[in-house]
Amino acid sequence: MTEHSADYRRALDRAEGILGFSLAPYVDPGPSEPANAYDFTRIATEHAFNDVWPRDEHLDLRTRALVSVTITASLGILEPLRGQLRIALRNGVTKEEIVEAFIQMAVYAGVARAFDSYKERCSHQGSP
């Protein structure tokens, strides 16, 4: 394993505080991965947990966690969604608030997409 920089260790420590468990086993590259894989995971982890999650002037951790749930759910990326749900629940978001976020998302991510697709279908009626 590569020696972690102070910034990377700080990011991993902050991630553990937010998640409740160590993120290192999930982001440290394995022995079969190319040498620059460490750069990718280090940069992504440092950016997320040193630059983004600590920002609390306008969004608190709880709100940031709920926003992250809706983003990952909207993108349909399930493993990050599972992590964001854990973060949200661990940091004060209630299950009921998550349901409300999904209801809101259904309208603006699901129904909006359906209406847009429907308009496209209607504009091509009669076309082969």
Side-chain angles (χ1 to χ4, degrees):
M1 180 173 78
T2 306
E3 182 67 29
H4 296 308
S5 70
D7 285 341
Y8 191 53
R9 283 193 309 272
R10 187 173 70 242
L12 289 172
D13 288 346
R14 183 171 285 122
E16 187 169 349
I18 292 170
L19 286 162
F21 59 87
S22 176
L23 189 61
Y26 303 98
V27 295
D28 282 350
S32 65
E33 295 183 62
N36 65 343
Y38 175 76
D39 293 333
F40 168 71
T41 59
R42 179 189 54 77
I43 290 166
T45 304
E46 286 179 7
H47 181 55
F49 292 101
N50 287 344
D51 298 333
V52 178
W53 280 100
R55 297 175 56 88
D56 60 6
E57 184 179 353
H58 301 289
L59 287 180
D60 61 13
L61 181 65
R62 186 182 173 288
T63 304
R64 199 170 291 281
L66 189 56
V67 168
S68 296
V69 166
T70 61
I71 292 168
T72 54
S74 293
L75 292 172
I77 46 178
L78 296 181
E79 190 51 42
L81 172 59
R82 289 180 189 105
Q84 296 309 316
L85 287 166
R86 282 191 294 272
I87 289 172
L89 292 168
R90 179 175 165 76
N91 290 282
V93 177
T94 67
K95 291 178 181 178
E96 293 79 9
E97 289 170 319
I98 291 170
V99 170
E100 289 298 322
F102 274 81
I103 291 169
Q104 188 75 13
M105 187 180 58
V107 173
Y108 289 97
V111 174
R113 180 172 280 172
F115 271 109
D116 195 45
S117 298
Y118 184 76
K119 279 190 336 191
E120 184 65 24
R121 184 202 63 81
C122 290
S123 69
H124 286 89
Q125 280 185 339
S127 298

